[in-house]
């Protein structure tokens, strides 16, 4: 961690209002930084540009964590950056940045942005009536760039060339105090970009930081603003919420701030109606987090299948009373629930297809007699559907040992599998025999009608 805090005012033009932490005052060593990011910074510096590592890369290295990616901030314009790196391209409209590619690694290079005075060219910057930033391409210097970032802990600039950290907003102190503090007026900054509320929740859960009280205060009342964000952007954000290994604490915080009900109104209603659904969500999230942290494969389709399942079940039951066949009711329930959810978060088709398969298999798993069991097990979504069933059982649903049966079936050898499937077959026959109506008497036994 940082050894001591010194207020050292350097003569450098852009760092006049920053606290500068020299090499000996911090534990951030270039060795922990990606080689690709270092190369980008060096080349920009060689062309007389300022260039720093910023954002999660600096924050996570200071916290002894493993940064997900490394971002670079510079005074070079996107076009200048683009010209310096052959392997680069300009992306984004709302926020233009340059992606510099090194094999599989991408370094995001962002030009210093500035505050909005309201007089800029509409092409560069624009806001909606309620203050939401629609475009943010007004360039500035390092200090203005620091002030337009979201949280103080995300606004630290590290120069691997001088080994100094520049702190304009008190981020180093907040890292030491494990505090997540928004830069500027919380209300304005959350209105400007409501996704910052989700980021507050995510970083506080992931880093184990407390959201500073003034930062937290307006979130509950501003929560409905999250629905103004495009459904495509919310899909991306939802992946960061649920697929980063901290979905359980994130879910609790989303609920606490009323954000979950805004993002998943249908699921929130069901969770309110039945406590076992909350257990179902929590178990699924705890499982997903464990899988992610142990490097196992996860698909967003699974967690989305979980989040929408209570609504699917309820909708199927309602539709069945409307004289629809079970197949029609199921199909319509999928349609209705998915299209409602996609108004908020647009789930890509390839994932909603997988979700439907997981749901369909819930109805097939009990029907396992004879060859059916073998066919179900060959289904590409069998494993996900089986995990899903176990979670349903763990949340208190009674399926008469179905989960255990499938566990045993998978563990059994071929001979025993045949035996298990046949037992189901004969049990099914016995059940259906006993349910059959008594046979009509043969004509010879029937009373003589003559
Ligand atoms: P991680 O990559 O671990 O999720 P990060 O802090 O690096 O965390 P990114 O989404 O990669 O987050 O963004 C990089 C930096 O850009 C952030 O640290 C922050 O300074 C700034 N930033 C990102 N999104 C916003 C936003 N919505 N509003 C203001 N600043 C933002
Ligand atoms: Mg990042």
């Amino acid at each position: 961690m940082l050894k001591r805090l010194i207020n050292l005012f350097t003569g450098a033009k852009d760092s006049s209002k920053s606290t500068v932490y020299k090499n000996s005052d911090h534990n951030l060593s270039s060795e922990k930084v990606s080689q690709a990011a270092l190369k980008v910074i060096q080349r920009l510096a060689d062309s007389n540009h300022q260039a720093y590592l910023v954002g999660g890369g600096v924050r996570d290295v200071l916290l002894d964590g493993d940064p997900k990616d490394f971002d670079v901030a510079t005074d070079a314009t996107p076009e200048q950056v683009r010209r310096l790196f052959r392997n680069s391209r300009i992306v984004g409209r709302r926020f233009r940045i340059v992606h510099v590619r090194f094999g599989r690694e991408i370094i995001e290079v962002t030009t210093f942005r500035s505050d909005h005075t309201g007089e800029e060219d509409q092409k560069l910057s624009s806001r909606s009536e309620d203050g939401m930033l629609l475009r943010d391409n007004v360039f500035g210097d390092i200090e203005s760039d620091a002030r337009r970032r979201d949280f103080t802990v995300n606004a630290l600039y590290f120069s691997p060339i001088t080994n100094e950290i520049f702190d304009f907003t008190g981020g180093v102190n907040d890292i030491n105090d494990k505090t997540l503090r928004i830069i500027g007026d919380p209300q304005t900054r959350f209105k400007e970009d409501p996704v910052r509320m989700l980021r507050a929740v995510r970083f506080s859960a992931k880093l184990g930081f407390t959201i500073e009280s003034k930062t937290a205060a307006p979130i509950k009342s501003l929560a409905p603003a999250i629905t103004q964000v495009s459904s495509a952007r919310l899909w991306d954000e939802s992946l960061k919420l649920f697929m980063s290994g901290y979905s359980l604490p994130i879910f609790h915080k989303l609920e606490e701030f009323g954000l979950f009900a805004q993002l998943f109104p249908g699921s929130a209603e069901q969770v309110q109606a039945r406590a076992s659904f909350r257990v179902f969500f929590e178990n699924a999230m705890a499982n997903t987090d464990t899988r992610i942290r142990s490097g196992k494969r996860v698909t967003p389709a699974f967690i989305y299948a979980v989040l929408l399942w209570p609504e699917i079940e309820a909708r199927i039951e309602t539709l069945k009373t409307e004289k629809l066949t079970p197949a029609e009711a199921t199909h319509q329930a999928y349609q209705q629930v998915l299209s409602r959810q996609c108004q908020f978060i647009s789930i890509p088709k390839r994932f909603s297809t997988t979700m439907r398969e997981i749901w369909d298999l819930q109805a097939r798993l009990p029907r396992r007699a004879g060859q059916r069991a073998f066919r179900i097990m060959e289904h590409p979504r069998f494993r996900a559907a089986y995990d899903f069933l176990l979670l349903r059982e763990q949340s208190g649903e009674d399926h008469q040992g179905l989960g255990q049966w499938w566990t045993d079936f998978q563990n059994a050898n071929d001979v025993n599998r045949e035996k298990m499937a046949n037992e189901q077959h004969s049990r099914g026959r016995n059940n259906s025999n006993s349910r059959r109506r008594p046979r009509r008497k043969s004509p010879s036994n029937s009373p003589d009608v003559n």
Side-chain angles (χ1 to χ4, degrees):
M1 226 335 107
L2 296 157
K3 288 180 212 147
R4 80 195 144 96
L5 180 138
I6 52 158
N7 274 315
L8 214 165
F9 295 99
T10 70
K13 185 180 97 211
D14 285 322
S15 52
S16 55
K17 289 184 194 151
S18 71
T19 302
V20 183
Y21 295 87
K22 296 266 181 206
N23 200 11
S24 52
D25 304 315
H26 64 75
N27 66 349
L28 204 163
S29 116
S30 299
E31 282 163 28
K32 295 186 193 161
V33 177
S34 115
Q35 285 300 313
L38 295 178
K39 273 189 206 157
V40 169
I41 292 174
Q42 188 63 56
R43 187 164 318 164
L44 282 161
D46 290 346
S47 307
N48 293 322
H49 285 296
Q50 297 177 48
Y52 303 89
L53 196 69
V54 67
V58 180
R59 181 197 66 216
D60 292 348
V61 172
L62 283 174
L63 286 166
D64 272 337
D66 229 347
K68 216 173 65 198
D69 44 38
F70 288 93
D71 300 315
V72 170
T74 178
D75 62 354
T77 63
E79 286 72 21
Q80 287 172 325
V81 178
R82 169 74 197 85
R83 277 197 293 273
L84 277 177
F85 300 94
R86 259 192 323 126
N87 49 344
S88 69
R89 63 192 185 103
I90 299 178
V91 297
R93 227 170 75 87
R94 194 183 148 273
F95 197 89
R96 293 173 72 230
I97 55 174
V98 184
H99 277 177
V100 184
R101 181 179 281 280
F102 290 83
R104 292 183 61 186
E105 192 177 353
I106 290 178
I107 304 298
E108 281 193 6
V109 185
T110 313
T111 305
F112 294 151
R113 296 297 201 276
S114 144
D115 244 2
H116 300 260
T117 59
E119 289 160 15
E120 304 89 0
D121 187 336
Q122 277 261 313
K123 271 192 206 145
L124 300 177
S125 159
S126 68
R127 277 171 197 268
S128 71
E129 271 176 18
D130 29 24
M132 196 159 89
L133 266 182
L134 303 176
R135 208 164 286 167
D136 184 4
N137 286 315
V138 181
F139 301 135
D141 60 18
I142 183 172
E143 186 181 349
S144 62
D145 191 70
R147 302 208 179 277
R148 64 94 194 161
R149 288 182 182 270
D150 48 5
F151 304 102
T152 61
V153 297
N154 287 349
L156 295 170
Y157 296 74
F158 173 65
S159 164
I161 294 165
T162 63
N163 273 318
E164 290 169 319
I165 296 174
F166 298 87
D167 180 1
F168 297 84
T169 61
V172 167
N173 283 341
D174 283 339
I175 285 198
N176 287 332
D177 297 343
K178 295 190 167 295
T179 299
L180 196 73
R181 185 192 312 271
I182 200 151
I183 299 168
D185 172 55
Q187 182 109 1
T188 313
R189 300 304 311 284
F190 286 132
K191 276 191 184 165
E192 206 172 62
D193 182 2
V195 163
R196 289 175 188 149
M197 296 189 280
L198 302 181
R199 291 174 63 86
V201 160
R202 176 159 66 89
F203 290 128
S204 76
K206 178 181 149 184
L207 306 172
F209 278 27
T210 307
I211 306 180
E212 178 262 337
S213 60
K214 284 193 187 126
T215 302
I219 299 185
K220 245 186 188 163
S221 61
L222 288 178
I226 198 69
T227 57
Q228 293 163 18
V229 176
S230 82
S231 57
R233 188 168 173 219
L234 284 179
W235 165 258
D236 292 341
E237 288 304 320
S238 77
L239 296 187
K240 295 182 195 164
L241 294 171
F242 297 118
M243 310 300 289
S244 63
Y246 298 88
S247 63
L248 184 58
I250 288 176
F251 168 62
H252 287 143
K253 282 186 194 280
L254 287 175
E255 276 204 304
E256 182 190 326
F257 286 109
L259 287 159
F260 186 74
Q262 295 296 330
L263 294 172
F264 297 92
S267 319
E269 277 163 26
Q270 296 296 328
V271 164
Q272 286 307 319
R274 229 201 280 171
S276 62
F277 287 146
R278 174 169 287 109
V279 180
F280 179 52
F281 286 2
E282 288 174 338
N283 287 345
M285 289 174 191
N287 265 11
T288 306
D289 292 346
T290 311
R291 287 183 69 96
I292 291 174
R293 292 196 208 177
S294 53
K296 287 196 189 145
R297 214 183 70 87
V298 286
T299 163
F302 189 85
I303 203 72
Y304 266 88
V306 167
L307 287 170
L308 301 187
W309 175 249
E311 241 187 307
I312 292 283
E313 270 196 313
R315 190 53 59 108
I316 291 176
E317 284 316 305
T318 313
L319 288 167
K320 272 188 191 163
T321 62
E322 292 175 13
K323 292 201 183 115
L324 294 176
T325 65
E328 286 165 345
T330 304
H331 181 72
Q332 285 198 20
Y334 292 176
Q335 287 287 107
Q336 290 174 10
V337 171
L338 282 168
S339 73
R340 181 182 182 198
Q341 185 56 49
C342 286
Q343 289 170 7
F344 299 89
I345 300 180
S346 84
I347 305 168
K349 188 85 194 267
R350 65 180 189 284
F351 295 116
S352 57
T353 305
T354 305
M355 290 159 66
R356 285 167 188 260
E357 288 174 328
I358 294 173
W359 293 333
D360 274 338
L361 280 165
Q362 299 310 300
R364 283 180 62 191
L365 285 171
R367 303 202 301 264
R368 64 214 124 120
Q371 288 309 300
R372 279 182 179 168
F374 293 93
R375 280 200 297 272
I376 292 172
M377 215 169 77
E378 279 165 17
H379 194 288
R381 307 291 162 226
F382 165 73
R383 192 63 214 195
Y386 160 74
D387 287 342
F388 197 96
L389 169 69
L390 295 185
L391 284 169
R392 291 172 64 202
E393 290 187 335
Q394 280 163 21
S395 72
E397 289 181 25
D398 181 8
H399 294 279
Q400 283 137 36
L402 185 61
Q404 188 59 50
W405 190 91
W406 277 108
T407 307
D408 296 341
F409 190 73
Q410 290 172 82
N411 292 335
N413 59 23
D414 287 350
V415 178
N416 284 338
R417 278 186 186 166
E418 284 289 347
K419 230 161 95 185
M420 288 175 76
N422 286 337
E423 270 166 22
Q424 286 300 317
H425 196 55
S426 39
R427 184 173 302 169
R429 266 222 311 261
N430 290 341
N431 285 347
S432 55
N433 277 348
S434 60
R435 264 188 273 120
R436 253 184 222 156
R437 275 191 273 153
R439 260 199 226 148
R440 286 172 78 199
K441 284 177 184 160
S442 65
S444 57
N445 292 337
S446 49
D448 206 340
V449 285
N450 282 339

